[in-house]
Amino acid sequence: MTASRLDGRLCASAVENSLKVEVQNCMDSGVNPHLAVVIVGDDPASHVYVNNKVKACERLGIISTHISLPSNTTESELVTEIERLNADASIHGILIQSPLPKHMDEEGITDLISPSKDVDGFHPVNLGRLVQGRTDGMLPCTPAGVIEMLKWANIETEGKNAVILGRSRIVGMPMSLLLAAKGCDSTVTITHSRTQNLAEVCKQADILVAAVGIPELVKKDWVKQGAVVVDVGINRVEDLSIERGWRLTGDVDPDVAEVASWLSPVPGGVGPMTIAMLMINTINAAKSTI
Ligand code: NAD
């Protein structure tokens, strides 16, 4: 078997096309969706991610304000900036690019964003709603993007065994909640760094989502014939055979394509979907003010 490509670029472009009319509807009602993206420091990968988000806004006609603060910004200066953005009625979404410098409490900062502007979906109010099974609010973008990709490819989730590698607040845990929620109805197993016999647990999966951050951890013999495999990982590994000296790879060994029915590529899989879901959250936040 050679896995079909779970193509996040194609799916994200379909999502974006459907969003253009939503943006127009907002504008017709006198509201121009507006996203503020705050980045602190000079991590090159983070700047690439922020630029991709700003470009997606441009494609859709969403206003974006890009606020770049130096790495020696104090936490209280960042708090002041968030309070200003919370109070600005023309701004509908606030995104603080992760990671923040080590001297800042990232979770504490997330708590300060107004839940109605929390387009990342990480505020305790929004995550708490998800725990309650309420999937109609601001959902964390990466796991919501995975669900959208599965729907786009007509992949059945009801009654399937889903195994999630990773239990982070950003990906693994909300991914598990979304797959278990009414509507997806999967039977979910959450695995993590202390899980024993990980390969055997993975082998039970009809749907396997890897969000660990270890290059090519998931091997071909961990995967059941015909399983759907979603690779969330983005890892930079040395590759001296190419000029820049590094390449991106996921958490899944590419040989898994020999046994899986579907496999998402890295890059070009979950990454573009994360941005598409951010656009949905921003537009929904704008719509809620009309
Ligand atoms: P994280 O470091 O917060 O969490 C990693 C999780 O993996 C932890 O829960 C940990 O318990 C688990 N883990 C660690 N070692 C393990 C092992 N040997 N076996 C099983 N589980 C193990 O990372 P994160 O923020 O959840 O991100 C995970 C990966 O996804 C990273 O590569 C990150 O770059 C990527 N990511 C991609 C997107 C995207 O848009 N595609 C978005 C967010 C994160």
PDB file of all heavy atoms in Angstrom, residues 114-132:
ATOM      1  N   SER A 114      -8.252  38.460  26.403  1.00  0.00           N
ATOM      2  CA  SER A 114      -9.705  38.324  26.535  1.00  0.00           C
ATOM      3  C   SER A 114     -10.147  37.045  25.819  1.00  0.00           C
ATOM      4  O   SER A 114      -9.795  36.836  24.653  1.00  0.00           O
ATOM      5  CB  SER A 114     -10.359  39.549  25.893  1.00  0.00           C
ATOM      6  OG  SER A 114     -11.697  39.272  25.667  1.00  0.00           O
ATOM      7  N   PRO A 115     -10.904  36.151  26.483  1.00  0.00           N
ATOM      8  CA  PRO A 115     -11.297  34.887  25.841  1.00  0.00           C
ATOM      9  C   PRO A 115     -11.962  35.089  24.480  1.00  0.00           C
ATOM     10  O   PRO A 115     -11.798  34.276  23.578  1.00  0.00           O
ATOM     11  CB  PRO A 115     -12.264  34.253  26.840  1.00  0.00           C
ATOM     12  CG  PRO A 115     -11.882  34.840  28.157  1.00  0.00           C
ATOM     13  CD  PRO A 115     -11.384  36.232  27.876  1.00  0.00           C
ATOM     14  N   SER A 116     -12.689  36.200  24.325  1.00  0.00           N
ATOM     15  CA  SER A 116     -13.385  36.420  23.052  1.00  0.00           C
ATOM     16  C   SER A 116     -12.402  36.816  21.937  1.00  0.00           C
ATOM     17  O   SER A 116     -12.755  36.805  20.760  1.00  0.00           O
ATOM     18  CB  SER A 116     -14.460  37.493  23.205  1.00  0.00           C
ATOM     19  OG  SER A 116     -13.835  38.706  23.580  1.00  0.00           O
ATOM     20  N   LYS A 117     -11.155  37.173  22.310  1.00  0.00           N
ATOM     21  CA  LYS A 117     -10.147  37.519  21.289  1.00  0.00           C
ATOM     22  C   LYS A 117      -9.041  36.466  21.203  1.00  0.00           C
ATOM     23  O   LYS A 117      -8.068  36.630  20.475  1.00  0.00           O
ATOM     24  CB  LYS A 117      -9.519  38.891  21.629  1.00  0.00           C
ATOM     25  CG  LYS A 117     -10.514  40.039  21.600  1.00  0.00           C
ATOM     26  CD  LYS A 117      -9.816  41.391  21.718  1.00  0.00           C
ATOM     27  CE  LYS A 117     -10.849  42.517  21.651  1.00  0.00           C
ATOM     28  NZ  LYS A 117     -10.220  43.844  21.522  1.00  0.00           N
ATOM     29  N   ASP A 118      -9.199  35.386  21.958  1.00  0.00           N
ATOM     30  CA  ASP A 118      -8.154  34.355  22.072  1.00  0.00           C
ATOM     31  C   ASP A 118      -8.221  33.410  20.865  1.00  0.00           C
ATOM     32  O   ASP A 118      -8.687  32.277  20.952  1.00  0.00           O
ATOM     33  CB  ASP A 118      -8.382  33.591  23.392  1.00  0.00           C
ATOM     34  CG  ASP A 118      -7.594  32.303  23.467  1.00  0.00           C
ATOM     35  OD1 ASP A 118      -6.420  32.308  23.062  1.00  0.00           O
ATOM     36  OD2 ASP A 118      -8.178  31.281  23.903  1.00  0.00           O
ATOM     37  N   VAL A 119      -7.709  33.880  19.726  1.00  0.00           N
ATOM     38  CA  VAL A 119      -7.843  33.122  18.475  1.00  0.00           C
ATOM     39  C   VAL A 119      -6.954  31.878  18.434  1.00  0.00           C
ATOM     40  O   VAL A 119      -7.100  31.036  17.550  1.00  0.00           O
ATOM     41  CB  VAL A 119      -7.567  34.021  17.249  1.00  0.00           C
ATOM     42  CG1 VAL A 119      -8.752  34.919  16.974  1.00  0.00           C
ATOM     43  CG2 VAL A 119      -6.295  34.838  17.431  1.00  0.00           C
ATOM     44  N   ASP A 120      -6.019  31.748  19.381  1.00  0.00           N
ATOM     45  CA  ASP A 120      -5.231  30.515  19.494  1.00  0.00           C
ATOM     46  C   ASP A 120      -6.032  29.429  20.209  1.00  0.00           C
ATOM     47  O   ASP A 120      -5.691  28.255  20.133  1.00  0.00           O
ATOM     48  CB  ASP A 120      -3.957  30.785  20.320  1.00  0.00           C
ATOM     49  CG  ASP A 120      -2.719  30.851  19.441  1.00  0.00           C
ATOM     50  OD1 ASP A 120      -2.765  30.326  18.311  1.00  0.00           O
ATOM     51  OD2 ASP A 120      -1.710  31.419  19.896  1.00  0.00           O
ATOM     52  N   GLY A 121      -7.045  29.830  20.964  1.00  0.00           N
ATOM     53  CA  GLY A 121      -7.881  28.868  21.694  1.00  0.00           C
ATOM     54  C   GLY A 121      -7.209  28.262  22.914  1.00  0.00           C
ATOM     55  O   GLY A 121      -7.596  27.180  23.359  1.00  0.00           O
ATOM     56  N   PHE A 122      -6.224  28.965  23.478  1.00  0.00           N
ATOM     57  CA  PHE A 122      -5.474  28.403  24.621  1.00  0.00           C
ATOM     58  C   PHE A 122      -5.933  28.944  25.969  1.00  0.00           C
ATOM     59  O   PHE A 122      -5.455  28.506  27.017  1.00  0.00           O
ATOM     60  CB  PHE A 122      -3.975  28.707  24.502  1.00  0.00           C
ATOM     61  CG  PHE A 122      -3.317  28.136  23.277  1.00  0.00           C
ATOM     62  CD1 PHE A 122      -2.171  28.722  22.748  1.00  0.00           C
ATOM     63  CD2 PHE A 122      -3.828  26.996  22.658  1.00  0.00           C
ATOM     64  CE1 PHE A 122      -1.559  28.188  21.621  1.00  0.00           C
ATOM     65  CE2 PHE A 122      -3.207  26.461  21.531  1.00  0.00           C
ATOM     66  CZ  PHE A 122      -2.072  27.065  21.012  1.00  0.00           C
ATOM     67  N   HIS A 123      -6.812  29.958  25.977  1.00  0.00           N
ATOM     68  CA  HIS A 123      -7.263  30.515  27.254  1.00  0.00           C
ATOM     69  C   HIS A 123      -8.046  29.449  28.027  1.00  0.00           C
ATOM     70  O   HIS A 123      -8.781  28.651  27.420  1.00  0.00           O
ATOM     71  CB  HIS A 123      -8.148  31.738  26.989  1.00  0.00           C
ATOM     72  CG  HIS A 123      -8.461  32.503  28.227  1.00  0.00           C
ATOM     73  ND1 HIS A 123      -9.438  32.091  29.123  1.00  0.00           N
ATOM     74  CD2 HIS A 123      -7.926  33.627  28.754  1.00  0.00           C
ATOM     75  CE1 HIS A 123      -9.488  32.940  30.136  1.00  0.00           C
ATOM     76  NE2 HIS A 123      -8.571  33.885  29.935  1.00  0.00           N
ATOM     77  N   PRO A 124      -7.898  29.416  29.367  1.00  0.00           N
ATOM     78  CA  PRO A 124      -8.620  28.396  30.149  1.00  0.00           C
ATOM     79  C   PRO A 124     -10.126  28.369  29.873  1.00  0.00           C
ATOM     80  O   PRO A 124     -10.735  27.296  29.908  1.00  0.00           O
ATOM     81  CB  PRO A 124      -8.329  28.779  31.602  1.00  0.00           C
ATOM     82  CG  PRO A 124      -7.065  29.562  31.551  1.00  0.00           C
ATOM     83  CD  PRO A 124      -7.020  30.239  30.209  1.00  0.00           C
ATOM     84  N   VAL A 125     -10.712  29.512  29.586  1.00  0.00           N
ATOM     85  CA  VAL A 125     -12.154  29.519  29.285  1.00  0.00           C
ATOM     86  C   VAL A 125     -12.426  28.721  28.013  1.00  0.00           C
ATOM     87  O   VAL A 125     -13.348  27.891  27.954  1.00  0.00           O
ATOM     88  CB  VAL A 125     -12.673  30.973  29.119  1.00  0.00           C
ATOM     89  CG1 VAL A 125     -14.055  30.995  28.470  1.00  0.00           C
ATOM     90  CG2 VAL A 125     -12.715  31.666  30.476  1.00  0.00           C
ATOM     91  N   ASN A 126     -11.608  28.934  26.992  1.00  0.00           N
ATOM     92  CA  ASN A 126     -11.843  28.239  25.722  1.00  0.00           C
ATOM     93  C   ASN A 126     -11.478  26.756  25.810  1.00  0.00           C
ATOM     94  O   ASN A 126     -12.206  25.906  25.291  1.00  0.00           O
ATOM     95  CB  ASN A 126     -11.085  28.947  24.594  1.00  0.00           C
ATOM     96  CG  ASN A 126     -11.715  30.298  24.292  1.00  0.00           C
ATOM     97  OD1 ASN A 126     -12.945  30.416  24.253  1.00  0.00           O
ATOM     98  ND2 ASN A 126     -10.897  31.328  24.109  1.00  0.00           N
ATOM     99  N   LEU A 127     -10.364  26.446  26.476  1.00  0.00           N
ATOM    100  CA  LEU A 127     -10.015  25.031  26.660  1.00  0.00           C
ATOM    101  C   LEU A 127     -11.034  24.348  27.565  1.00  0.00           C
ATOM    102  O   LEU A 127     -11.388  23.188  27.356  1.00  0.00           O
ATOM    103  CB  LEU A 127      -8.604  24.889  27.238  1.00  0.00           C
ATOM    104  CG  LEU A 127      -7.465  25.082  26.227  1.00  0.00           C
ATOM    105  CD1 LEU A 127      -6.109  25.002  26.934  1.00  0.00           C
ATOM    106  CD2 LEU A 127      -7.517  24.034  25.122  1.00  0.00           C
ATOM    107  N   GLY A 128     -11.530  25.083  28.573  1.00  0.00           N
ATOM    108  CA  GLY A 128     -12.534  24.535  29.490  1.00  0.00           C
ATOM    109  C   GLY A 128     -13.820  24.195  28.756  1.00  0.00           C
ATOM    110  O   GLY A 128     -14.434  23.154  28.997  1.00  0.00           O
ATOM    111  N   ARG A 129     -14.218  25.049  27.835  1.00  0.00           N
ATOM    112  CA  ARG A 129     -15.416  24.752  27.024  1.00  0.00           C
ATOM    113  C   ARG A 129     -15.226  23.459  26.242  1.00  0.00           C
ATOM    114  O   ARG A 129     -16.130  22.649  26.125  1.00  0.00           O
ATOM    115  CB  ARG A 129     -15.682  25.908  26.048  1.00  0.00           C
ATOM    116  CG  ARG A 129     -16.273  27.150  26.702  1.00  0.00           C
ATOM    117  CD  ARG A 129     -16.410  28.258  25.660  1.00  0.00           C
ATOM    118  NE  ARG A 129     -17.212  27.839  24.520  1.00  0.00           N
ATOM    119  CZ  ARG A 129     -18.530  27.959  24.433  1.00  0.00           C
ATOM    120  NH1 ARG A 129     -19.195  28.533  25.401  1.00  0.00           N
ATOM    121  NH2 ARG A 129     -19.182  27.524  23.372  1.00  0.00           N
ATOM    122  N   LEU A 130     -13.997  23.289  25.729  1.00  0.00           N
ATOM    123  CA  LEU A 130     -13.712  22.069  24.959  1.00  0.00           C
ATOM    124  C   LEU A 130     -13.805  20.829  25.857  1.00  0.00           C
ATOM    125  O   LEU A 130     -14.352  19.797  25.454  1.00  0.00           O
ATOM    126  CB  LEU A 130     -12.317  22.202  24.325  1.00  0.00           C
ATOM    127  CG  LEU A 130     -11.810  21.037  23.490  1.00  0.00           C
ATOM    128  CD1 LEU A 130     -12.798  20.675  22.390  1.00  0.00           C
ATOM    129  CD2 LEU A 130     -10.453  21.391  22.872  1.00  0.00           C
ATOM    130  N   VAL A 131     -13.327  20.955  27.087  1.00  0.00           N
ATOM    131  CA  VAL A 131     -13.430  19.837  28.041  1.00  0.00           C
ATOM    132  C   VAL A 131     -14.901  19.494  28.281  1.00  0.00           C
ATOM    133  O   VAL A 131     -15.265  18.330  28.454  1.00  0.00           O
ATOM    134  CB  VAL A 131     -12.717  20.181  29.370  1.00  0.00           C
ATOM    135  CG1 VAL A 131     -12.983  19.129  30.434  1.00  0.00           C
ATOM    136  CG2 VAL A 131     -11.224  20.332  29.141  1.00  0.00           C
ATOM    137  N   GLN A 132     -15.752  20.526  28.263  1.00  0.00           N
ATOM    138  CA  GLN A 132     -17.191  20.301  28.464  1.00  0.00           C
ATOM    139  C   GLN A 132     -17.865  19.713  27.225  1.00  0.00           C
ATOM    140  O   GLN A 132     -19.072  19.471  27.233  1.00  0.00           O
ATOM    141  CB  GLN A 132     -17.883  21.626  28.802  1.00  0.00           C
ATOM    142  CG  GLN A 132     -17.500  22.182  30.164  1.00  0.00           C
ATOM    143  CD  GLN A 132     -18.122  23.548  30.386  1.00  0.00           C
ATOM    144  OE1 GLN A 132     -18.195  24.372  29.468  1.00  0.00           O
ATOM    145  NE2 GLN A 132     -18.583  23.785  31.596  1.00  0.00           N
TER     146      GLN A 132
END
